[in-house]
Amino acid sequence: MIFKQLFEPVSSTYTYLLGCEETGQALLIDPVLPTWERDLAEVNALGLKLAFTVETHIHADHITSAKKLKAIADSRIVGPALDALPCTDVGIVDGVPFKMGSIELAPIHTPGHTDNHFAYAHAGRLYTGDALLIEACGRTDFQSGDPAALYHSVRGKLFSYDDDTLVYPAHDYEQRRISTIGQEKARNPRLGGDRTLEDFVVLMNNLKLAYPKFIDYAVPGNRECGTCPPGVPDHLQQYCAQIGESRQG
């Protein structure tokens, strides 16, 4: 398998490039609109053809580049079937493998951050989206978020994987790139250790986080698989505009 971890600095989002050497196909997990050209160049530089873009959920902090990449590279858009987006080409279903050549992703329905959130397991790795972050987790106060559901998703599903399973999150805000299930079980201050469901619900319901600054544009844009909606103010245009160079892992 060919693998690259790519970083988009505006929303601190990780995009994951997985390539199949047998078929020459590639997929991108959670691609971001401002870096669509960079991501496609990475695929092409590896001698691969972009076949799919795969979403973990409808994002509130950035706009996906799925529609742009489909228009340019003729890739197909993959996302949770539960969202029932007309622009999605392939609907992901819990427990039904998604295959691209020799690569087979195991979809895991992990509600809590959003109701239709998915993580993906493959080859000793978990692509956890916003459900499980490095020593953190996604917030639960919008988009049908539910702290009790997130607790069961992480501790009941993701924490059931072997301790040495690698954790690749959708975001990190402190330049950390990777964790493991064992590390998160031991060190995650929100979900690790002996944290009870009751304690977690109280914690998440009292975070008092600021209203997400791009959510009013990101959610409708992502429900169309990557359209920057009209009316985005100047100070938020960086979420839509292409950027030339951005940091990558």
Side-chain angles (χ1 to χ4, degrees):
M1 182 192 70
I2 298 168
F3 171 81
K4 295 203 77 171
Q5 182 182 32
L6 305 163
F7 185 70
E8 190 280 308
V10 175
S11 59
S12 297
T13 301
Y14 284 121
T15 296
Y16 298 98
L17 188 167
L18 280 66
C20 171
E21 294 178 286
E22 294 178 7
T23 63
Q25 294 179 307
L27 62 82
L28 292 169
I29 298 175
D30 287 341
V32 185
L33 187 57
T35 48
W36 74 264
E37 190 170 44
R38 181 220 45 197
D39 294 348
L40 188 56
E42 291 283 351
V43 172
N44 294 337
L46 292 166
L48 303 172
K49 175 175 173 53
L50 183 64
F52 300 99
T53 55
V54 181
E55 303 294 336
T56 54
H57 63 295
I58 294 175
H59 310 276
D61 54 3
H62 68 264
I63 292 179
T64 176
S65 59
K67 180 177 284 188
K68 182 69 173 180
L69 290 167
K70 180 176 181 177
I72 300 298
D74 198 31
S75 50
R76 302 180 72 196
I77 299 173
V78 181
L82 291 168
D83 287 323
L85 302 182
C87 52
T88 299
D89 298 305
V90 181
I92 288 291
V93 177
D94 184 48
V96 178
F98 173 77
K99 298 180 181 181
M100 182 193 72
S102 60
I103 293 174
E104 181 175 304
L105 301 181
I108 311 161
H109 185 212
T110 47
H113 174 63
T114 67
D115 51 357
N116 298 333
H117 188 286
F118 271 76
Y120 300 100
H122 174 254
R125 306 174 186 215
L126 284 170
Y127 302 98
T128 56
D130 286 27
L132 177 61
L133 306 177
I134 297 174
E135 298 188 12
C137 65
R139 58 196 293 179
T140 58
D141 57 341
F142 56 78
Q143 283 184 279
S144 301
D146 182 335
L150 184 59
Y151 183 92
H152 292 304
S153 291
V154 174
R155 290 186 63 110
K157 295 181 180 181
L158 301 182
F159 279 6
S160 69
Y161 282 79
D162 291 343
D163 282 356
D164 58 356
T165 302
L166 301 178
V167 172
Y168 286 98
H171 301 282
D172 192 78
Y173 308 98
E174 299 180 29
Q175 300 182 12
R176 297 169 300 188
R177 295 173 53 187
I178 188 172
S179 184
T180 66
I181 287 297
Q183 177 171 309
E184 294 309 310
K185 287 163 68 174
R187 295 177 52 181
N188 192 298
R190 293 186 180 177
L191 283 156
D194 58 359
R195 175 75 69 181
T196 67
L197 171 61
E198 293 74 17
D199 286 346
F200 181 70
V201 170
V202 170
L203 171 69
M204 297 304 289
N205 285 341
N206 288 278
L207 289 179
K208 296 181 174 61
L209 299 172
Y211 186 74
K213 60 184 176 181
F214 196 55
I215 187 173
D216 293 334
Y217 307 101
V219 171
N222 287 322
R223 294 195 69 85
E224 296 183 8
C225 295
T227 299
C228 201
V232 176
D234 289 345
H235 72 283
L236 296 177
Q237 281 293 331
Q238 61 183 334
Y239 288 90
C240 296
Q242 179 182 328
I243 57 179
E245 297 294 332
S246 56
R247 206 153 39 87
Q248 67 183 57

